[in-house]
Amino acid sequence: MNFNFSGNWWETELILGNTAAAYAYALAAFLAALALLYIVKNVGVIRLKAMAEKTETDLDDLLVSLIDRFKWFEYQLLAFFIASRYLLRGEGFDRGLKTVLLLVFTYRVITMVQTLLAYWVNKVATKRELEGQARTSVVKSTQTILRILLWIAAILFVLSNLGVNISSVLAGLGIGGVAVALASQAILGDLFNFFVILLDKPFKIGDFIVADPIVGTVEHIGLKSIRIRSLSGELMIVSNTRLLGMEVKNYKHMTRRRVVTKTGVVYQTPLDKLKKIPELVTQALAEVENTTFDRCNLAGLGDFSMDFETVYFIESPDYNLHMAAQEKFLQGIIARFQAEGIEFAYPTQTLFLNK
């Protein structure tokens, strides 16, 4: 270290082999960079916030909040890095500064990406009309999986930039991944089908579904299984893969119910009374609320009856309402048939004896 200030002191070598001029330039660069970054944070971000508040979309608000996440320490660290370019530095100093910068800004990028992923997952959940427990379950599960994958990628990125040969690590992960995949095919299949349910939305919590022999209301959609409350009250737990492999009927989206009823009368019924049956059926259905008549026809001649087929619609998906309407409709038919002297058919055989 030379403290001889004779001659041109500006070029005199001071600490760590740097001249006074070098330190002055570094200090000026540090202050200039710090001032510029502070202006960006205090002025630029405030103006961006004001502009974002005038728009209807929330995406610009998200981007502004991401920029605003940077801390003062990170601005100062970046300014220090810029200033250090004007100084002579040792290899250890550069390596240490690079490591600090790498760790600090990798962590900041991870937090920003996590925020973006959370925004995307919530948007998808909103678009798929997920609410309550279903939304909470899907959002938390998805964010956990994506967060794990993100941190694994970040760790590999940091190790690679620190000079660690990650080829062997990736090879080990590949072999281990194949082994894990072979050992847990069912689990991975259920996990994949969880995302299929999330994105395709064949059903959601609260939907009444039928997938023979499974009949009930969906209560929970998880990463591996779905819980369904059956009509008799017990809770059925079915894997995602098994349920999506079935033909699922979702009655939640039914807006009206089509009902087909067959009525058989005896062969001894006169033709004039047969012609009255469609009108009698229409009258009986007119007394039932929330129903729409479609047709009533003599559909066939059976072994022991002449069969009429009636088709009508109940303007509600409610099954209890359907059964109540069906009961009232059949009672109306019975009353009118009795009044007209029309007999219902039941299994009979007539034996003819040849004298």
Side-chain angles (χ1 to χ4, degrees), residues 19 35 65 80 84 92 122 146 150 165 175 242 258 273 284 344:
T19 65
S65 67
F80 178 77
S84 67
N122 280 283
L146 295 178
L150 179 62
N165 185 7
I175 297 173
R242 182 190 174 197
R258 184 175 184 267
K273 291 189 176 182
F344 289 100

Side-chain angles (χ1 to χ4, degrees), residues 208-216 243 246-251:
F208 183 84
I209 63 173
V210 174
D212 190 49
I214 300 169
V215 179
L243 187 59
M246 302 178 179
E247 179 182 345
V248 179
K249 298 179 182 178
N250 191 338
Y251 286 88

Side-chain angles (χ1 to χ4, degrees), residues 68-257:
D68 198 34
R69 282 176 177 267
F70 284 96
K71 305 299 182 182
W72 290 120
F73 166 72
E74 294 163 345
Y75 287 108
Q76 294 163 359
L77 183 61
L78 185 58
F80 178 77
F81 172 76
I82 295 173
S84 67
R85 301 302 94 186
Y86 292 89
L87 300 173
L88 296 176
R89 307 168 308 276
E91 183 179 348
F93 177 86
D94 273 349
R95 185 164 53 250
L97 182 59
K98 177 183 177 181
T99 302
V100 172
L101 287 169
L102 182 64
L103 294 175
V104 170
F105 287 101
T106 299
Y107 173 77
R108 180 55 56 205
V109 170
I110 288 175
T111 59
M112 295 172 69
V113 174
Q114 284 179 346
T115 302
L116 289 172
L117 291 175
Y119 173 84
W120 173 74
V121 171
N122 280 283
K123 278 292 185 182
V124 172
T126 301
K127 186 178 180 180
R128 297 296 173 179
E129 300 178 357
L130 296 176
E131 298 177 355
Q133 184 182 358
R135 183 188 182 93
T136 302
S137 174
V138 169
V139 169
K140 286 186 176 180
S141 301
T142 306
Q143 286 182 352
T144 299
I145 294 172
L146 295 178
R147 191 177 296 117
I148 292 173
L149 295 176
L150 179 62
W151 275 101
I152 292 174
I155 292 172
L156 292 176
F157 171 77
V158 170
L159 291 176
S160 176
N161 280 272
L162 291 179
V164 178
N165 185 7
I166 64 171
S167 300
S168 57
V169 177
L170 292 176
L173 289 176
I175 297 173
V178 172
V180 171
L182 292 175
S184 57
Q185 290 183 7
I187 296 176
L188 294 177
D190 290 333
L191 182 61
F192 173 78
N193 285 311
F194 165 76
F195 287 102
V196 171
I197 295 171
L198 170 64
L199 298 175
D200 191 47
K201 201 179 69 173
F203 49 79
K204 58 184 180 180
I205 290 180
D207 288 2
F208 183 84
I209 63 173
V210 174
D212 190 49
I214 300 169
V215 179
T217 303
V218 179
E219 288 193 351
H220 174 77
I221 301 175
L223 289 174
K224 189 179 185 305
S225 63
I226 299 167
R227 300 170 193 168
I228 302 172
R229 183 71 62 180
S230 70
L231 293 176
S232 54
E234 68 269 16
L235 185 65
M236 296 182 291
I237 301 175
V238 188
S239 67
N240 298 338
T241 301
R242 182 190 174 197
L243 187 59
L244 288 187
M246 302 178 179
E247 179 182 345
V248 179
K249 298 179 182 178
N250 191 338
Y251 286 88
K252 181 71 174 182
H253 299 284
M254 177 189 292
T255 56
R256 61 193 318 215
R257 186 182 295 269

Side-chain angles (χ1 to χ4, degrees), residues 334-347:
I334 293 172
R336 284 167 173 78
F337 277 24
Q338 288 177 349
E340 292 291 334
I342 300 174
E343 297 183 18
F344 289 100
Y346 51 87

